[in-house]
Amino acid sequence: MVTVPPETETPEPPFQTTPVFWVSLDEDGTVLSVHGEEVSVSDEVLQEIVSRALEEGGPTGKLSGYGLRYLVQETREERQVAFADMSAEREQLTRLLLTSLLVGAGALAAFWAVSLFLSRWALRPAERAWEQQRRFVAAASHELKTPLTVILANMGILLAHRDETVQSQCRWVENTREEAVRMKKLVDDLLFLARSDSERAALARSAFCLSDTVWSAVLPFEPVAFEQGVELQSEIEPEICFWGDEGQLRRLTVILLDNACKYAGEHGKVTLRLRREQDRALLLVSNTGAPIPKEHLQHLFERFYRADESRDRRRGGYGLGLSIARSIVENHGGKIAVQSGEECGTVFTAVFPIKEEKKEK
């Protein structure tokens, strides 16, 4: 038999042990002796839990009122009943339950947060589109209201002077016609953008010389630039063949030139360049004048956006030209960008992929 020296301490077990004790009984179920850990219970209570265990009739069971498990073993020589304390087990189950509840609550909170983020992320494009549509309708209504107000006022003046001749009221008639023309242009621009949005505007594609098309758009602007005191220069590479909508590309050139001439400044300069780089066509329109602030650059292609409200209204602009320019470029699979600064002025760059005409067999 191995004995442990008194100065040597028995190491603690790596896990929590359950207090256990057992009792030996006689044939009548009377407690003869108690073994195991120290039992701090009276003889009456000990005899009662033994009797309860024997009354259950099974080899194992629980005594819920005492927080004990029991095991009955019978041999020819003796009968024993072992008892194990359930308090540690209950504490572990309680801790496990609390941990599970905390983990479950945390998981639900995380799932809710992720679901909320994903739902907002998924709805963001729809919200942005709805907001753009709302602003578009509001701006269009406002822009149409101005010429209609002028037309109605002119009609009121004419009706108030029924006996006057047309010659004497000519300025009111001419002013009404000017406002009607402006309103028609606005409506045409709105219809163009609406068709582009719905992707129902079929391009009248054909093979044509892009160089000649750009030339035909530049020539009418030479007298316009001369009257405004703006120097107009062009550098157009010849014989650039293109497959697309010639009318739309001419309109794109006109929009960019008109915008450049308006804001080139006094004695300013406008330069148009068209060249081919490998399988791409580059159209660049630059102008001098005051640079556009950086905070406005990213919004220039938005509908009805004006970097300077008063200046654009005085020049007759609605803030749709650059939006139409972007739609035309995107309809041809290209991209348009703008940069502005003190040194380079303002430069609009449109890049198109050059597609050759498909020859029919």
Side-chain angles (χ1 to χ4, degrees):
M1 185 177 190
V2 181
T3 59
V4 180
E7 63 274 6
T8 304
E9 295 182 358
T10 304
E12 295 183 359
F15 51 86
Q16 184 176 3
T17 58
T18 302
V20 177
F21 66 94
W22 68 95
V23 296
S24 298
L25 309 175
D26 59 11
E27 296 179 355
D28 298 331
T30 303
V31 177
L32 299 178
S33 59
V34 182
H35 309 276
E37 300 184 9
E38 181 179 357
V39 181
S40 56
V41 63
S42 63
D43 294 342
E44 292 78 5
V45 174
L46 182 61
Q47 186 63 53
E48 182 179 352
I49 61 177
V50 169
S51 301
R52 289 277 303 276
L54 295 177
E55 289 175 0
E56 294 291 335
T60 60
K62 296 180 182 179
L63 300 178
S64 301
Y66 298 95
L68 297 172
R69 292 180 181 274
Y70 67 86
L71 172 65
V72 179
Q73 291 183 340
E74 295 186 15
T75 62
R76 292 181 180 181
E77 291 79 11
E78 61 179 354
R79 182 164 53 170
Q80 294 180 339
V81 181
F83 296 94
D85 189 6
M86 295 173 56
S87 59
E89 179 182 348
R90 289 179 175 176
E91 291 179 2
Q92 291 179 357
L93 289 175
T94 303
R95 286 197 296 268
L96 179 62
L97 179 60
L98 291 176
T99 302
S100 300
L101 290 175
L102 291 175
V103 171
L108 287 175
F111 178 76
W112 177 82
V114 171
S115 301
L116 181 63
F117 171 78
L118 291 178
S119 61
R120 289 183 177 179
W121 177 78
L123 290 175
R124 195 172 301 164
E127 292 176 350
R128 188 182 302 113
W130 175 259
E131 179 62 22
Q132 290 177 349
Q133 182 179 4
R134 186 191 65 79
R135 288 185 298 179
F136 178 79
V137 172
S141 302
H142 176 74
E143 296 296 347
L144 287 171
K145 180 180 178 181
T146 302
L148 284 174
T149 302
V150 174
I151 291 173
L152 291 174
N154 291 341
M155 292 297 100
I157 294 174
L158 292 174
L159 290 174
H161 300 81
R162 297 174 184 269
D163 298 332
E164 299 290 337
T165 64
V166 175
Q167 182 65 32
S168 64
Q169 303 296 319
C170 184
R171 66 169 181 166
W172 306 115
V173 177
E174 290 177 352
N175 185 252
T176 300
R177 182 180 180 279
E178 291 175 1
E179 292 297 328
V181 170
R182 292 180 67 243
M183 187 167 63
K184 180 180 182 299
K185 182 180 181 300
L186 174 59
V187 172
D188 290 341
D189 290 344
L190 293 174
L191 288 175
F192 179 89
L193 292 173
R195 293 192 188 100
S196 298
D197 290 343
S198 62
E199 299 181 355
R200 291 182 300 179
L203 297 180
R205 295 184 182 273
S206 61
F208 63 95
C209 181
L210 183 61
S211 303
D212 294 341
T213 301
V214 174
W215 264 119
S216 66
V218 172
L219 290 177
F221 271 92
E222 291 184 351
V224 175
F226 179 79
E227 290 181 0
Q228 295 179 355
V230 175
E231 180 184 356
L232 177 60
Q233 293 185 351
S234 59
E235 301 173 9
I236 301 176
E237 181 178 331
E239 302 301 327
I240 298 180
C241 297
F242 198 78
W243 174 258
D245 191 319
E246 184 177 5
Q248 285 197 9
L249 292 175
R250 182 183 291 107
R251 184 177 187 181
L252 167 68
T253 307
V254 169
I255 290 173
L256 295 180
L257 282 174
D258 181 63
N259 184 78
C261 290
K262 284 180 179 178
Y263 307 120
E266 188 176 359
H267 305 297
K269 181 180 179 181
V270 173
T271 303
L272 179 143
R273 296 182 178 89
L274 175 67
R275 65 176 181 267
R276 177 169 183 165
E277 290 186 356
Q278 297 179 353
D279 59 346
R280 301 184 305 168
L282 274 68
L283 176 64
L284 297 91
V285 179
S286 62
N287 67 282
T288 57
I292 302 173
K294 292 183 179 180
E295 61 269 20
H296 295 300
L297 289 177
Q298 59 181 340
H299 302 291
L300 284 183
F301 297 103
E302 295 179 4
R303 298 168 187 182
F304 295 107
Y305 184 83
R306 298 182 178 92
D308 188 339
E309 290 282 339
S310 61
R311 182 176 64 177
D312 282 351
R313 288 186 183 277
R314 186 173 63 251
R315 294 178 182 269
Y318 290 106
L320 291 178
L322 293 178
S323 298
I324 294 174
R326 182 178 62 178
S327 297
I328 293 173
V329 173
E330 292 177 351
N331 288 343
H332 288 81
K335 294 182 179 181
I336 188 170
V338 59
Q339 59 180 0
S340 186
E342 293 288 349
E343 298 179 356
C344 64
T346 301
V347 183
F348 286 88
T349 304
V351 183
F352 303 93
I354 296 180
K355 299 179 181 180
E356 300 294 340
E357 179 184 3
K358 297 180 181 179
K359 296 182 179 180
E360 297 181 359
K361 296 182 179 180

